[in-house]
Amino acid sequence: MRKRLNKIIHSHGFASFLASVASIGIGLIFGFVLLLCFKSSQSITGLGHLLFAGFSTPEKFAKVLYQAAPLIMTGLSVGFAFKTGLFNIGAVGQYIIGTFFALYAGIILQCPWWAAMLAAMLGGAIWGAIPGLCKAFFNVNEVITSIMFNWIGLFTVNLMIPNLPAILDKGVSNRTANLDATNASAIIPKWGLDKLLGSTYMNISILLSILIAVIIFIILNKTTFGYELKACGLNKNASIYAGISAKRNIVLSMVIAGGLSGLGGGIYYLSGTAQFTITKILPAMGFNGIPVALLAASNPVGTIFSALFISYIQVGGEAMQPEFAKEIVDIIIAVIIYLSAFSLLMKGLIMRILNWKRAKRLAAESEEVTK
Amino acid sequence: MIVFADIMSAAILFAIPLLIVALGGMFSERSGTINIALEGIMIIGALFSCLYLDSVAKSGWGEKHAQLAMLLAILVAGAAGIIYALLLAIASVSLKADQTIGGTALNMFAPAFAIVLSWAVQGQGQTTINIPTWIRITQETFGFHASAHPGFFEALVFKSLYLTTPIALIILGLTVFLIYKTKFGLRLRSCGEHPQAADSVGINVYKFRYIGVGISGMLGGIGGLAFTTAAGSGFQATVAGYGFFALAVMIFGNWKPMRIFGAALFFALFKVIGAYTGSLAFLPDFSGIKSADNIYQMLPYVVTMIVLIFTSGKSRAPKAEGIPYDKGTR
């Protein structure tokens, strides 16, 4: 048993876990220092809210889970593209288009929830396919296409919604109808989770997201297709030489990444508690997929935890208001990501500390034996 | 004709921040470091320069020395940008971390920090930092009076002229000279193409990458101020995605200064046209469609994409960009 424990402690995985924990710790300390600088008298209460609000009531915890589900999806999307060597900065656009498709299917076509989710996935996949196709066939950098199509997506949705009277809420021209009133079957089922946590926010979306994360993990790590995708990401030329079609994989990777982001939009707006309102700015939920993926080092299972963490700390940030700006949470997340950029360095350091102790103990043991 | 002058002047006004920031991005990428943090750098530059302008406006000194105050604000923006960009350089050059990760972190940090700091300076909930109106260059700045009915030329030049515009054009000239005509430029470019070869002839790759990122920080910061003056409603802890557009303009301009200039003008022109649909008779007004303004807002992005699809076949990024340089690898 102890041997096994030792093996775990000295593994690379454990070291990277410790490195992440250390980054998070430093980020939180940085946040606390900021609180001290701006309003030292209330800094302890503020920190308390930040750290414990997510667990304070079942309702707050439900909100953590509710926001984590779409974050897992957008995080998976960015991470999946990363694995193929692509930077999917377009998760936001795919998220918006996914939302629109889901609401169109749910409200206008009166589809059940699972069909609306599939529609969301289709919308996101189309929006993801465009940068993929442009990259594969016209050599257009996927970052620039994604950025352009984020805005094109936003304006398209802003154009479509006012022109579809059936999708609108009564008497307004910028908000979609309440699903409860128009098509209750399009709301994601709750399976009693709402009663368990006493919150209308709660539905099975978190379970679905976790399931999808596991599926993505299996695709990436246990299938030939996943192997080819990763090979393309690691060395495009070598994989072409080995007979892998790089173009096909670029397009497929973006299609899947887009589908995941689109599904994130569907999950959020098919909950029955959120109504899509036209905005002129890109929604943060899509952009936050990037930090989620980075914090998880693009690992699909890690994405679940990093999304939960970011959602948790955001709920904490909201609880800090009005004494403090909730943006302090973004600062903390930024610091954590900045530190995770040198995770390799930290990992090396932690490995050295662990191994140094081990070497010392081994030396002591061998000394005892010789005695 | 006045309408065309207005459109041209508005297009130039919006092209200027794109131009400066895209040139900044070019310096960084030509040295081999992807600078995705331009958005954040713009925000930090705009934040500190606007705070500076606000403080000299309140003390009354600024109005008496308007253009000197603006020049100092530009310096403040550049300095803030450099310091902020150094954070990227430390992570991605010295510590060899992933460049997109560091950049994303800086992008996330900047707007949040801007809100927190402007609350701390101006009081709770006060996110907007007002920009004084006297920074605009008018006829009076040169000592003569504005005519009651401005002609084409006057409308073109003086409708919305800020000190950032001439400075941006000087920066463009300097960039062309620096990149193509000097030893420094050649060395900088070599670090972005083949750092190992550069190192083998005694060029300090790390130093050049620090300089590249530093210049991009300076230009990014100035671009942030230029954007905020162009937007005209004060600093609101955002530059509305212009850092990312600048990145697109840089790629569109194929990492070459004059092409970047053209790309910035092109993009800005299409961006401005939408605002003038009412006064341009030949543009369709889509009267049967609700919220048709979205069509025009979409236009610059769609047109850019179409042009990119047709022109990108030969587009080529600096070869070594995005790869941290490690002396030990070959």
Side-chain angles (χ1 to χ4, degrees):
Chain A
M1 184 64 205
R2 201 173 156 185
K3 233 182 198 170
R4 223 169 133 189
L5 200 72
N6 259 327
K7 207 176 156 193
I8 291 171
I9 286 174
H10 294 285
S11 69
H12 280 273
F14 186 70
S16 33
F17 172 73
L18 274 188
S20 299
V21 170
S23 314
I24 290 171
I26 297 171
L28 289 174
I29 292 168
F30 189 89
F32 182 57
V33 170
L34 271 183
L35 297 185
L36 272 178
C37 288
F38 290 121
K39 229 174 247 169
S40 48
S41 58
Q42 280 159 319
S43 57
I44 299 285
T45 356
L47 187 73
H49 282 309
L50 178 68
L51 289 181
F52 303 113
F55 281 138
S56 60
T57 61
E59 202 181 350
K60 286 260 164 59
F61 185 64
K63 193 157 188 210
V64 171
L65 297 179
Y66 166 70
Q67 289 183 345
L71 274 178
I72 292 176
M73 300 313 300
T74 47
L76 280 175
S77 164
V78 177
F80 192 83
F82 262 137
K83 286 274 182 193
T84 331
L86 299 165
F87 185 28
N88 181 20
I89 202 167
V92 195
Q94 296 144 15
Y95 178 87
I96 298 172
I97 295 289
T99 302
F100 175 71
F101 269 57
L103 292 174
Y104 189 88
I107 298 172
I108 293 187
L109 304 178
Q110 296 281 318
C111 292
W113 67 278
W114 53 268
M117 296 265 259
L118 287 179
M121 213 158 150
L122 176 73
I126 293 170
W127 226 242
I130 298 167
L133 289 168
C134 285
K135 166 107 178 171
F137 295 101
F138 300 107
N139 188 29
V140 187
N141 191 307
E142 83 277 5
V143 175
I144 180 173
T145 322
S146 299
I147 294 169
M148 295 289 143
F149 273 87
N150 282 344
W151 293 95
I152 296 175
L154 180 72
F155 292 131
T156 308
V157 172
N158 284 359
L159 180 67
M160 297 299 276
I161 287 182
N163 289 299
L164 292 167
I167 209 170
L168 289 168
D169 211 359
K170 274 190 208 84
V172 295
S173 62
N174 63 347
R175 197 175 62 231
T176 58
N178 194 342
L179 281 177
D180 253 337
T182 44
N183 178 13
S185 70
I187 296 175
I188 300 170
K190 300 189 188 301
W191 287 3
L193 286 174
D194 54 332
K195 291 190 188 77
L196 187 71
L197 289 170
S199 162
T200 48
Y201 282 130
M202 212 44 220
N203 56 37
I204 59 165
S205 60
I206 184 74
L207 303 177
L208 277 174
S209 314
I210 292 173
L211 179 73
I212 292 167
V214 172
I215 293 172
I216 293 292
F217 180 80
I218 293 169
I219 290 178
L220 272 175
N221 294 313
K222 305 284 172 200
T223 65
T224 320
F225 174 58
Y227 179 83
E228 287 188 2
L229 285 178
K230 281 191 292 181
C232 271
L234 289 171
N235 191 336
K236 195 175 155 192
N237 293 328
S239 52
I240 292 170
Y241 185 68
I244 297 169
S245 166
K247 283 184 179 173
R248 181 180 144 254
N249 280 329
I250 286 170
V251 177
L252 276 178
S253 164
M254 283 307 289
V255 165
I256 294 172
L260 291 169
S261 281
L263 197 54
I267 279 180
Y268 192 75
Y269 286 99
L270 291 175
S271 60
T273 39
Q275 284 163 278
F276 184 79
T277 312
I278 286 177
T279 74
K280 289 278 171 197
I281 47 170
L282 296 166
M285 196 64 91
F287 268 121
N288 282 343
I290 301 172
V292 166
L294 293 177
L295 206 56
S298 306
N299 182 314
V301 177
T303 305
I304 301 170
F305 296 102
S306 66
L308 281 169
F309 169 72
I310 285 184
S311 174
Y312 179 82
I313 199 170
Q314 274 174 343
V315 169
E318 274 159 27
M320 280 198 310
Q321 289 173 316
E323 284 81 13
F324 296 101
K326 69 172 189 301
E327 278 75 14
I328 286 185
V329 167
D330 288 341
I331 294 184
I332 293 172
I333 296 171
V335 171
I336 293 170
I337 293 165
Y338 186 74
L339 292 171
S340 75
F342 7 101
S343 58
L344 224 64
L345 200 85
M346 275 228 245
K347 212 167 117 180
L349 205 71
I350 289 167
M351 286 293 269
R352 216 179 306 159
I353 294 170
L354 288 174
N355 285 334
W356 175 69
K357 272 191 177 161
R358 189 190 198 184
K360 213 168 141 189
R361 203 189 60 236
L362 285 177
E365 271 171 14
S366 65
E367 227 168 83
E368 259 169 40
V369 172
T370 45
K371 267 178 197 168
Chain B
M1 278 314 270
I2 295 292
V3 173
F4 281 102
D6 284 353
I7 292 177
M8 287 296 288
S9 110
I12 291 170
L13 185 66
F14 276 97
I16 290 302
L18 283 179
L19 169 69
I20 310 177
V21 180
L23 285 178
M26 187 205 73
F27 270 103
S28 174
E29 301 221 346
R30 279 289 176 124
S31 78
T33 313
I34 293 180
N35 191 348
I36 208 155
L38 287 170
E39 176 96 359
I41 293 171
M42 282 179 80
I43 291 175
I44 293 291
L47 168 69
F48 282 100
S49 53
C50 290
L51 281 175
Y52 169 77
L53 279 175
D54 195 44
S55 72
V56 293
K58 277 181 185 139
S59 74
W61 180 83
E63 193 153 9
K64 284 178 209 129
H65 310 84
Q67 293 314 315
L68 179 64
M70 185 62 181
L71 183 67
L72 287 174
I74 290 173
L75 291 179
V76 168
I82 292 177
I83 294 169
Y84 197 56
L86 279 182
L87 287 173
L88 178 71
I90 292 169
S92 55
V93 181
S94 297
L95 297 171
K96 302 181 180 61
D98 189 302
Q99 295 168 0
T100 38
I101 302 183
T104 306
L106 293 186
N107 279 341
M108 198 161 180
F109 183 89
F113 180 72
I115 288 175
V116 171
L117 189 68
S118 44
W119 281 30
V121 173
Q122 310 194 106
Q124 198 131 2
Q126 307 275 311
T127 309
T128 309
I129 305 174
N130 291 316
I131 300 185
T133 47
W134 42 254
I135 54 169
R136 189 162 77 90
I137 299 176
T138 57
Q139 281 96 327
E140 276 90 1
T141 314
F142 298 106
F144 53 89
H145 289 286
S147 50
H149 301 285
F152 178 79
F153 180 72
E154 270 171 280
L156 177 65
V157 176
F158 287 112
K159 179 93 194 285
S160 44
L161 180 65
Y162 296 95
L163 192 60
T164 39
T165 308
I167 285 188
L169 296 175
I170 295 169
I171 289 172
L172 174 67
L174 275 178
T175 304
V176 173
F177 178 72
L178 210 58
I179 289 282
Y180 293 115
K181 303 288 175 197
T182 63
K183 228 164 31 179
F184 169 81
L186 185 65
R187 290 180 177 174
L188 186 85
R189 280 184 287 150
S190 72
C191 291
E193 291 296 333
H194 202 308
Q196 287 82 4
D199 200 0
S200 73
V201 291
I203 296 170
N204 187 340
V205 176
Y206 299 121
K207 189 181 100 187
F208 273 90
R209 288 196 169 178
Y210 261 92
I211 294 172
V213 175
I215 294 176
S216 82
M218 182 180 78
L219 297 184
I222 297 173
L225 175 61
F227 169 79
T228 315
T229 52
S233 51
F235 176 69
Q236 289 161 338
T238 171
V239 292
Y242 258 61
F244 290 116
F245 299 151
L247 214 57
V249 163
M250 178 197 70
I251 299 172
F252 191 12
N254 213 357
W255 292 269
K256 294 189 173 84
M258 285 316 281
R259 283 199 188 193
I260 288 175
F261 182 47
L265 276 179
F266 178 85
F267 195 85
L269 187 65
F270 276 99
K271 187 124 182 104
V272 166
I273 280 181
Y276 283 87
T277 42
S279 40
L280 293 175
F282 61 85
L283 288 173
D285 58 354
F286 301 107
S287 53
I289 304 171
K290 283 176 201 152
S291 307
D293 56 318
N294 285 302
I295 297 175
Y296 284 108
Q297 279 172 336
M298 217 188 291
L299 197 66
Y301 310 100
V302 175
V303 176
T304 305
M305 271 322 297
I306 293 170
V307 174
L308 273 174
I309 285 174
F310 284 109
T311 58
S312 273
K314 278 184 240 145
S315 143
R316 201 178 63 84
K319 204 173 173 190
E321 74 164 16
I323 310 159
Y325 178 60
D326 190 341
K327 268 180 192 272
T329 57
R330 275 189 292 165

